[in-house]
Amino acid sequence: MISSAPLATAGSISPAPHMGLPIPNSKLGMWLFLGTEIMFFTALIGSYLVLRLGTEPWPADPHWTHIKIAAGATNTFVLILSSYLVVLAHKSILKRQIARTQTALIAAFLLGLVFLGIKAYEYQGKFEHHVIPGQIPETPLQAQEFFLNDVDKASLAWIHQLQPGEESIFKREKDLLKRIEQTEAQNLDEGIIALSDQDLNAAHAALDWRSQIETLHILAASNKLPQTIDPTALNAAPQADSLEQAAVTAGLPGSLAWMKAQPLIGPHADPLHLDASMPHGNLFASLYFLLTGFHAIHVIIGLILFLTVILQGPWLTISSATYLENVGLYWHFVDLVWIFLFPLIYIV
Amino acid sequence: MSATYPAAQTLDHPHEHAHTQANFLTKYVFSTDHKVIGIQFLFTTIFMLFVGGALALCIRWQLAYPWTELPFIGGKLFAAQAGQMTPEFYTMLFTMHGTVMVFLVVIPILAGAFGNYLIPLMIGADDMAFPLLNMLSYWFMWPAIACFALSMYYEGGPAAGWTSYPLLAALPQAAPGSGFAQTLWLLGITFVGISSMMGSINYMTTIINMRAPGMTLFRMPMTIWAMFITAILQAFALPVLTAAGIMLICDRVFHTCFFVPGGITVNNASPTLGSGQPLLWQHLFWFYSHPAVYIMLLPAMGMISDILSTMCRKPLFGYKPMVFSMLAIAGLGFIVWGHHMFISGMNPVMGMAFMVSTVMIALPSAIKTFNWIATIWGGKIVFNTVTLNAIAFVTMFVVGGLSGIFMAAVPVDIYIHDTYFIVAHFHYVLFGATLFGIFAAIQYWFPKMSGRMMNEPLGQIHFLLTFITANGTFFPMHLLGVAGMPRRYADPYIHQYLEHLLPMNQLMTWFAIAMGVSQLLLAFNLVYSFFWGPVAGRNPWNANTLEWQTPSPPPHGNFDHPVVVYRGPYEFSHPDHPDADFWPQTDPA
Amino acid sequence: MSRFWCLFFMSWPLLALYVCWVAPSQGWGFPGNGVSDSLIGQRIDHLFYVILAITTAVFIGTQIAMGYVLWTASSKTNDQPASHVHGSHTLEVIWTVVPAALLLFIAFYQMDVWADFRMKSRQPDTSSGQLVAEVTARQFEWRIRYPQPGKPLDRLPQQGDVFGVNELIVPAGLPVTIHLRTDDVQHSFFLPTLRIKQDAVPGKVIPVWFQVDQPGTYPLLCAELCGWGHYKMGAKLIVLAPEEYKATMAQLATDYALSGAPLNPQQTAQHQVGGTNP
Ligand code: HEA
Ligand code: HEA
Ligand code: CUA
Ligand SMILES: [Cu+2]
């Protein structure tokens, strides 16, 4: 502190005109705010470390995690570059070179967008492969359940398409079954639904297959797989490339390939869980999205702050220098967080 | 006050008060004036005190007359069950009682109301560093209040206690109220967090950068030191709770698994997926909430230091030790959180480490206690309402603090953890210390806020009744705790070894009801004195600090003359200054 | 009036002390006859009383000091000014060092009991059949799994295991260990008369040991909020003399086998969470 006059002294000391730090309030406030932000990310990163160190084995196989070191490294470089550009912008505004300031800022802004773009690409890869919290089977049994659930959904969706209506899917499905039976038994069509022979056969096959799957599903849930299926093969799922293969080896009637080949069911069979189980995969996905997600939110806020300056265009004046400096501080912080996150998530 | 002063100015806050067309809305509702905001906080939190108190009275009713009709409201709320409350309603009651008292009463009344009102006045600034942020920090309370209120409306209400431990709080199927209500509750906590964060950054900046000329750090009144340290605690501990809260919300809404281990079947729902750690929540929660208990105490400690010194006409004993002990409490406060988790199954060695740090945190508290007593020693005390409440603060804090020592001892905590001993401890520190401190502060600064004195006889009766009833309510809780009565029990008496405690609980309930009624005296006194109290003048207590050197209530911009500080805040009965027993900080002579 | 307030502040500590003094005789003290039913509980009680003695002394000391300063400070006449003292270095040192010593003494005096209760290295050995049961908390009851008599307790349910609900049977006179776990949310295993408590944490198995010499029935409660039925999650700890224990366990095992009970009762039990009154 600037003044340190003794505590209890009478008489007149001429006090310093300004107490406190020789920096503007806004900058001090920004530093303090960043302090709270540091604690926020400390909590997140600390949780990451605690959870990760307490979890054996940690999913680290890039083939499964879809972590792309190259993308992360590029992003690190992108952010550092944009941080530099913000410094440049601040220097320029102090020299009243508004055009230069704006160019540097726009470049930094675009780099921020590049960062988000790469991030989006990474996220998409994860979404495509179902690396999503709460959707990752962790044991072979779960993988099997997930698979069956999905198959169930696919065939239901298909049935739904066969006979659209406002009733619930389940009811409709039963109806359909009944009607198909009726059609077959009476060998007539009363105009309830006009199914071609081909359709009818396909429907039969699908329903048949579905009910088999369903039985299997129920049995699997109660831990009693039928003898006809070799349970060891199913349990070997993690070793096999995918559960689907394991299912084929296990002699499941109809496989994903079979399903996909069916012109009617095929289109619905797309969002199927095919990957083998991954122990602790959900925790991995949770933490990955938590850390990178909150960082991305901060990037977005930073970009909005950039916009508040960029949109002033040529009318920007030196009076915004402190503001720009604060925005820059914030941006450096966002950069710094990433520099911690990158090695922690991508490399270690 | 006639010398010419160098203009009090601050670097980037020039005196431009553009509030020329102040209409009602900008003057009293969306005001950026720290005094208005402080008073808004004060009214809101006092109202919330009654809400929280009403919830407490419902708790007490159930504990005294379990499963009988709840008076007044039972018939309407539980028409189907002859007016008797349900166990999950009881769970909701203490959850919301704790939440309201902690997050909507004590924290905002100390930092929000008194911090806001006093900081600029006591350091000689014309307003906070960021007035707009200040206003937002008040208005962010309301989404929080809305979330909490709404959460009570959803089935069961939030039902995991104010500590909200997962899995109870993480899995919607775990309790009737663990559905949407719990998510709303967590959102409410997040809003409170945002509000406090804005406030604390503002306070720190203001105190660091906007002190009047001559107001060096060691001339700041204890209140300001306390507010400063509290703001530091808030700024650096609260983000952790916010992060934890967000993670818990994610667990609930987005099926992440930070706190949820795999294979847990609750209430016949399908097993959970994941490999999170429920204990992590406890670590994060208490990393915030232990500092939070000091956030709930330090400002009161600071205000009591000022009040005692003024009321005893004597300098504060040991100013610097007082400051450093407060810093020590804040520092140590960050490394003792584990004492809430001794029997949670955490590593026993950590239990030992946390025990040592916890007992050591009693040391700075001891220093403060002894210094307060020494401040009174040799003074010339005026027994008015303010003094009485301040003395009650000290004695009750000693009781609450000493019961903390029992719990800090791990083996003893094995037994008393989660019994009423804990409830006794924290009501002694929270009600006994903090709330009496708040009562003292309200009556001490009321003249400044309103320009009128509070009614003295009414105040003393309120004090007497509150003191007796508070002890009557909370002291027996120690005994209940030792007798093994667990907390958060809707009906302890179904367990045979607790049956005989019913009469004691009934007595406590009647004390609690009397305590509630006594609070109406305070409410009445506030309203009455606001309109009809005797006019106070600038400095009714003959105090030294800056806020008393300006009109009551202070004008917009706070001071009618530039402020320069010449000495510390506690120069009472100074031998070099025989004309008066006080010597204002601004007096150049 | 100031005399009244001085006396007021001096009298309430006396009342508090009086209440504490008569409390045990009124049944407001430790549950039961006031003596813990387990050895470790008695050691905990001892520590409690040590702290009680120290804190009572501190309490009396501070209250006397408070009464004294209030009395003298309110007896000053109008022409006597308050003394102008800013502090005293010596006093600060004294009241820092003395409490510090006391507090550190309190802390280190506790370590032994804590270590005996929780440290792995100090816990009784569980190999010799004294690992008696697995206690699984769930909303809102205690599930007990004993190994088949003569067999060690396995981590996973085994054929021949015996299951019980809300009654934990252990032998007297031996240190026994249970494995504590939970099926759903957190609970806490609380034996008030033994002064023993341990949280059950989802995903963890925590060993808890205790020794009761006197056969009998002791209350077992849940001490961690676990939902609306938290308060009624009571059960019994039944301590039997060793021979009787053996016989009872054998009897239980045969009964259980005869009744053809399922491997794991958890799958058959009906559970409902939701608002009903007791
Ligand atoms: C204002 C709030 C406040 C304050 C100031 C304190 C102060 C202290 N608290 Fe408290 N505490 C709470 C609020 C507070 N607490 C709350 C709300 C909970 C419960 C949360 C929940 O579970 O819901 C809690 C719970 C709690 C626990 C957890 C118990 C459990 O759940 O099992 C523990 C354990 O160590 C503890 C200890 C202490 C200690 C050692 C102090 C010390 O700081 C006290 C120090 C003061 C003194 C000791 C008195 C003065 C000193 C002297 C006169 C000197 C001489 C003394 C000696 C030599 C002994 N507290
Ligand atoms: C500052 C904090 C604070 C304060 C002041 C209080 C005040 C009171 N508390 Fe509080 N209490 C907590 C913080 C606080 N409490 C916390 C954190 C918990 C833990 C929660 C948990 O376990 O999760 C708790 C838990 C708790 C329990 C334990 C519940 C349980 O574990 O089962 C009990 C039981 O007696 C209780 C009682 C009381 C009483 C009687 C008061 C009295 O002082 C209240 C006196 C009454 C008033 C001050 C208001 C008067 C109101 C009226 C006259 C009605 C008029 C109404 C309107 C106008 C709307 N509290
Ligand atoms: Cu189980 Cu509380
Ligand atoms: Cu604490």
Side-chain angles (χ1 to χ4, degrees), chain B residues 276-363:
Chain B
Q277 295 181 11
L279 284 192
L280 177 64
W281 166 268
Q282 298 188 22
H283 281 291
L284 295 174
F285 181 84
W286 290 116
F287 184 87
Y288 164 70
S289 287
H290 184 83
V293 306
Y294 294 114
I295 291 171
M296 292 186 263
L297 184 71
L298 290 181
M301 283 181 152
M303 296 191 292
I304 291 302
S305 305
D306 282 355
I307 288 172
L308 277 181
S309 168
T310 307
M311 292 303 170
C312 295
R313 318 308 301 156
K314 187 169 165 279
L316 184 69
F317 201 87
Y319 175 87
K320 279 198 178 170
M322 286 294 239
V323 172
F324 289 127
S325 56
M326 212 134 67
L327 284 167
I329 291 180
L332 284 169
F334 277 107
I335 55 163
V336 299
W337 78 88
H339 65 215
H340 297 272
M341 306 171 54
F342 283 146
I343 63 154
S344 66
M346 137 185 111
N347 185 336
V349 181
M350 273 163 79
M352 293 189 178
F354 279 124
M355 165 168 62
V356 175
S357 60
T358 303
V359 295
M360 286 331 280
I361 210 169
L363 194 56

Side-chain angles (χ1 to χ4, degrees), chain B residues 152-201:
Chain B
M152 291 205 264
Y153 166 81
Y154 279 91
E155 191 202 345
W162 82 283
T163 50
S164 258
Y165 284 1
L167 297 170
L168 191 57
L171 300 177
Q173 66 268 31
S178 215
F180 190 50
Q182 188 68 31
T183 308
L184 272 175
W185 185 90
L186 285 162
L187 274 177
I189 294 294
T190 313
F191 280 120
V192 174
I194 295 174
S195 158
S196 293
M197 198 246 336
M198 295 195 280
S200 59
I201 289 176

Side-chain angles (χ1 to χ4, degrees), chain A residues 328-343:
Chain A
L329 276 177
Y330 177 81
W331 192 250
H332 298 328
F333 168 78
V334 174
D335 190 6
L336 192 76
V337 170
W338 182 255
I339 288 176
F340 275 95
L341 290 187
F342 173 59

Side-chain angles (χ1 to χ4, degrees), chain A residues 148-160 209-210 259 264-272:
Chain A
L148 295 175
N149 266 337
D150 284 358
V151 167
D152 229 30
K153 266 189 217 138
S155 40
L156 274 179
W158 173 72
I159 290 167
H160 176 66
W209 186 75
R210 215 196 132 266
M259 254 188 120
L264 294 168
I265 319 178
H268 303 291
D270 247 3
L272 282 187

Side-chain angles (χ1 to χ4, degrees), chain C residues 159-203:
Chain C
Q159 204 66 48
D161 281 355
V162 182
F163 293 91
V165 176
N166 283 346
E167 278 184 4
L168 172 60
I169 306 174
V170 302
L174 297 176
V176 293
T177 304
I178 58 139
H179 275 174
L180 181 64
R181 50 182 297 279
T182 162
D183 263 354
D184 40 40
V185 301
Q186 285 184 41
H187 301 266
S188 192
F189 178 79
F190 181 29
L191 297 167
T193 55
L194 275 62
R195 318 281 189 264
I196 278 180
K197 191 180 287 132
Q198 176 60 55
D199 283 5
V201 184

Side-chain angles (χ1 to χ4, degrees), chain B residues 34 58 96 128 145 205 233 251 304 394 430 515 528 553 559:
Chain B
H34 73 98
C58 297
M96 289 316 288
M128 286 284 179
I145 294 173
T205 311
L233 281 177
D251 274 7
I304 291 302
V394 179
L430 284 172
M515 167 159 51
Y528 172 83
F559 294 95

